Amino acid sequence: MADLPGPTVLASDYFHSYSVVGLLAVIGVLFVAVAFGAGRLLRPVVPTPEKLLTYECGVDPVGDGWAHTQVRYYVYAFLYVIFAVDSIFLFPWATVFAAPGYGATTLVEMFIFLGFLAVGLLYAWKKGVLEWT
């Protein structure tokens, strides 16, 4: 029987690599637990009504603490995040497009990508999502 080419890997060496990762994970969890425990033990706990009062920017609260927020603001934020993240995909495309041999393929792929974005924006516009008032 012929010997197999390449170095022989023992199971103990294989699991030793995972034991190092496991040990580091345990040390990380212990470090965080000790930090939170020390913070809880060392901090002063003197609750007063003034400390428990909700405020923002030093202004005393007026009225109820519950405020209704319209969902359209979340939709605007969501659309912004979508287009901001998608614009990040344009930068690698520009570098690949400049490389020789990839011009036509990447150009077609990017127009397909931009077409999906345009369809999504058109859908949001038709649904009236982009109306501010």
Side-chain angles (χ1 to χ4, degrees):
M1 180 149 83
D3 290 331
L4 295 174
T8 304
V9 178
L10 298 175
S12 62
D13 294 336
Y14 182 76
F15 289 116
H16 176 70
S17 300
Y18 281 109
S19 65
V20 171
V21 172
L23 180 66
L24 286 175
V26 168
I27 289 172
V29 169
L30 284 175
F31 182 75
V32 170
V34 167
F36 276 121
R40 186 174 198 115
L41 290 174
L42 297 176
R43 72 178 178 211
V45 180
V46 185
T48 62
E50 290 82 17
K51 286 185 179 179
L52 298 176
L53 184 66
T54 304
Y55 71 96
E56 184 173 340
C57 301
V59 178
D60 290 332
V62 177
D64 191 16
W66 177 259
H68 181 72
T69 304
Q70 298 213 7
V71 76
R72 76 175 74 143
Y73 301 122
Y74 296 111
V75 172
Y76 284 122
F78 186 64
L79 286 172
Y80 170 75
V81 168
I82 287 172
F83 284 100
V85 168
D86 290 338
S87 67
I88 291 172
F89 289 121
L90 294 175
F91 293 114
W93 170 77
T95 59
V96 170
F97 184 69
Y102 292 104
T105 306
T106 55
L107 185 65
V108 170
E109 289 174 353
M110 189 47 58
F111 275 117
I112 291 171
F113 177 71
L114 292 175
F116 282 125
L117 290 179
V119 167
L121 185 61
L122 182 67
Y123 177 77
W125 179 61
K126 287 287 191 183
K127 285 291 191 176
V129 172
L130 302 178
E131 296 293 327
W132 186 257
T133 55

